[in-house]
Amino acid sequence: MTKDQLLLSFDLLDEQYIEEASPTAAKPHRRRIQLVRAATCAVLIAILVPAILLVLPLFRTPTEVPPVVYDPPTIFNALESPELLYGNGNPFVVGDTTEVVDFSDTTEPLSKGFGHGYYIVHAEIISILPDVYYPLNRSPNFAPNAYQLIRFRTLEALHGNVPEEFLYLMPMGVVDNSFDSYDTFIISMGLRGTENYILRNGSKQKLEAFPLLLFADPNNCPEIGNFISFTDGVFNENVFHYYDTDLVQPGYTVEYTLTRVKERIKESKQEIEDSGYYSFPIDILTYSTDFTTEEARAAFAYVQAFENGVFVQSICSYFDAAYPTLTYTRYIGECQTEEVISINLETEEVTYSEVRYSEEELRSIVNVSEYAANLREKYAAQLPVPPHTDTQGKELYSLNVFGWYLKIDGNIYGIVKTTWLYHEKRYDEEYHCNVLYRYYDDSFILLDAQNLTVREVSRDELLELTGGQDFHNYIHQYRYNYAYKAGYFF
Amino acid sequence: MQDCNIVELYWQRDEKAIKETAEKYGGYCYRIAYNILYSDLDAEECVNDTYVKAWESMPPAKPEKLSTYLGKLTRHIALNRYIHDRAQKRNKAADLVFDEIAELIPDGATSNLPDEVALKDVINRFVGALPSLTRVVFVRRYWYVSTIKNIAKDYGLSESNVKVMLLRTRNKFKAFLEKEGITL
């Protein structure tokens, strides 16, 4: 027997053991902490802190770099074409796989919808913010989903500590002119960020922090039933065509639907308690940032001080009560670095990444954001040709340009990556259905401030430079000219 | 939607079954595939293959626990893919798991497969007899192919604790297999 066969033979395990060890099952040591007071505090802080528009003053004396020495590829910014990203109605196409960067730290719920554990709210729209936003801490390998922000007023918090007002991150293409004609919505949602959650404002080309708590669909897929909308007090399915038919049907009134949602929440809680398993805590968890140790207070103050760079906050495993940890990643401009600071909300233990960026370094650092922005502009004038893909018969689905920083042996490098994603639909003889295939392509540009060079580099060269390390998983090798199956049409 | 209702959709050949599956278990399957393949596109493709396999297999299959049924399909597809692609694409995390498993196989072992029924019985008896924490750690590592770091985090252990626990369990497993006459 080979090791491959032996590992495959673990398929013979009984289901009970598999289920018991599921990453989404209850952990034996899990302690449920409910810091409602802290939540209130966090909300208050969030509300009191004014909106901060972050024009990053990090490049006071940007290093001069020579122009690119090759004919720069393209730029068409697919980010500005939401219909390409969302308009095809294919339930399998998601545009990007959003949880990759946070994958190891995220505990996704097993089930979704109007179940337990989510924030569930009956709310009305206050306003729809006009700008386009992009998340920072999401995998940018594909075109990052473009979002609009909707400001809601809570009418009734059905589950969880939903504040009086909150923001909802809604993928572009969902919100149209008719959207504010709905009276109210019942929304099942996940908390995306706590205080000063930062997004890139694509309309104004800058980062923006938000004082209101920001919620979103946990799986970035609004089509699958997280919204129930009402017009004149009656369910209206026009915006969200796919919904939980067990819960709501055309003709249901808002009062009746609310009753059913509440019943569902109650049933789900009971079901979970009875089963002994739960995908995530039944009660909504909130955390305190009112630290008692000097170390935690200092770290928290450091990441809040925006002149030190922008630290984008995420909550590791916010469904997991065992080790709630605030994690801050330094961004320079819109570009990620390896500098990460974590504060364990339970133990107040602070962890600093090995790589740090000093104030002095920040003053003379190469401006990767600017370079990426210029490249986007060039691409906008002419569509770039992907270096490894035969585009015949394929449709460009997304094109993305993004950059990041790497510090290697004391030298700071900027890397700008262009990614292409093409679609092709073919009939599959084996499965007797149409299959949507995706083709991936990319190219890299290295900005070397030390040697004052800007040049196109291959993935292998990059990996050689980094000693094989791929800190952000951005150098990761996808197969070129390979048809990735993305969905089936039966 | 309840699992039994989703399975019923498969039996009715209703394409909504796949939507419901993706909604409820897409993340779960993706996680299993990603642990093994360490590539978002590959993992996503693997999850899509899982849906097709589920569509093909139900009926006649009527799983009681849809999550583990799908998980098994995903794991199988992902592992086979990983084995197939290993020469071109390395996933160090998965390689480590394979290397640990290789410790159980004595030098000069044949490529003959032991009797599946016997192996299933032995594996489940061994796993069932483990203390609960050891069991979940063992299964997380060798079924879910989770990293040591994630296991440690999820169960409140240090990484060295997890490593030691796994080492001891592997040694016990090897001895148990030998005792039960399972020759690898």
Side-chain angles (χ1 to χ4, degrees), chain A residues 1 4 7 11-12 14 18 20-21 29 97 110 242 317 323 438 476 478-479 484-485 488, chain B residues 18 20 24 31 38 40 42 44-45 49 65 75-76 81 86 110 124 135 140 144 153-154 156:
Chain A
M1 186 180 223
D4 299 342
L7 200 58
D11 275 345
L12 302 170
D14 278 351
I18 298 167
E20 177 187 45
H29 70 294
T97 48
L110 256 180
Y242 181 73
S317 307
Y323 292 96
R438 281 193 287 207
H476 184 82
Y478 296 104
R479 282 176 274 201
Y484 286 96
K485 270 176 278 188
Y488 300 86
Chain B
I18 294 181
E20 294 287 351
K24 190 167 183 182
R31 179 174 308 206
Y38 205 62
D40 40 13
D42 285 334
E44 208 175 309
E45 189 176 20
D49 283 348
K65 287 190 186 303
R75 182 179 185 270
H76 201 79
R81 178 168 195 149
R86 192 162 40 195
T110 67
N124 283 296
R135 182 168 60 239
R140 275 293 294 275
Y144 286 98
K153 177 172 158 285
D154 281 350

